[in-house]
Amino acid sequence: RFSPAAAIRITREVLSALAYAHVKRDFDGQPLKLIHRDVSPSNLMVGYDGSIKLVDFGVAKATDRIHETQSGAVKGKIAYLSPEQARGQKLDRRSDLFSLGIVMWELLTVERLYKHDSDFATMTAIISEAPPPPSSRRSPALPTRPASPPAKCPIRHGAPASSCSSW
């Protein structure tokens, strides 16, 4: 079981890695617009020194540079998809942030957020069900925090993950 402080530290480290990937530029200075597309617990590694690494950019996509290789193919682990991934829609960096939110929820509660009998049921839940607050699943209760970034947080408008560090 992770303490809330440890869960927040892990999440902040991954946010930092995502911010780096999301603003990465090519040799000509053009934004790559990278999206990891598979942010999940199995892709987070803890180093011997306690550092957190986001690994397996194997399904990452530069949104403007690579065409779909398979129409309708789902990339990433089903229980950590964003609603846009589950619908097969165009993705941006917010998809990775949604997936990281699922990871943080699970770190705080030590439960799976989206665990259903089939992939279809899981994707339906991701699209249509609001997750319960982590504090409703953990004792002692977690401090009250916003369930989503504040309305004025730049993340809501597609800004880099690093732009809303106060959340």
Side-chain angles (χ1 to χ4, degrees):
R1 200 169 251 239
F2 290 95
S3 70
I8 290 167
R9 181 179 166 271
I10 291 167
T11 303
R12 289 184 69 130
E13 294 279 331
V14 177
L15 276 171
S16 179
L18 287 172
Y20 178 83
H22 290 163
V23 300
K24 186 74 176 150
R25 295 179 176 273
D26 65 17
F27 292 114
D28 297 324
Q30 298 301 311
L32 290 174
K33 298 182 182 178
L34 289 174
I35 303 167
H36 189 281
R37 300 193 309 165
D38 195 16
V39 177
S40 61
S42 63
N43 287 333
L44 304 182
M45 298 296 182
V46 180
Y48 288 109
D49 61 354
S51 63
I52 309 298
K53 305 291 183 198
L54 177 61
V55 299
D56 194 5
F57 276 78
V59 298
K61 181 177 177 183
T63 58
D64 291 344
R65 308 282 195 272
I66 299 173
H67 298 290
E68 289 292 331
T69 55
Q70 230 183 347
S71 181
V74 174
K75 308 286 190 209
K77 291 166 193 70
I78 300 297
Y80 300 92
L81 298 179
S82 68
E84 295 78 15
Q85 278 177 293
R87 289 185 190 109
Q89 296 174 330
K90 184 175 179 178
L91 304 179
D92 63 27
R93 62 183 85 183
R94 292 173 291 183
S95 179
D96 287 341
L97 300 178
F98 185 92
S99 299
L100 180 58
I102 296 171
V103 172
M104 185 177 186
W105 192 97
E106 292 180 356
L107 285 170
L108 290 168
T109 63
V110 195
E111 291 181 26
R112 292 286 302 272
L113 179 55
Y114 295 109
K115 184 177 180 182
H116 296 277
D117 293 335
S118 70
D119 290 348
F120 179 77
T122 300
M123 290 191 291
T124 300
I126 290 168
I127 292 167
S128 61
E129 295 176 9
S135 58
S136 71
R137 301 291 175 92
R138 180 165 171 165
S139 184
L142 296 169
T144 303
R145 298 288 293 175
S148 61
K152 63 183 178 181
C153 178
I155 289 174
R156 285 194 177 271
H157 308 289
S162 60
S163 65
C164 200
S165 61
S166 63
W167 174 61

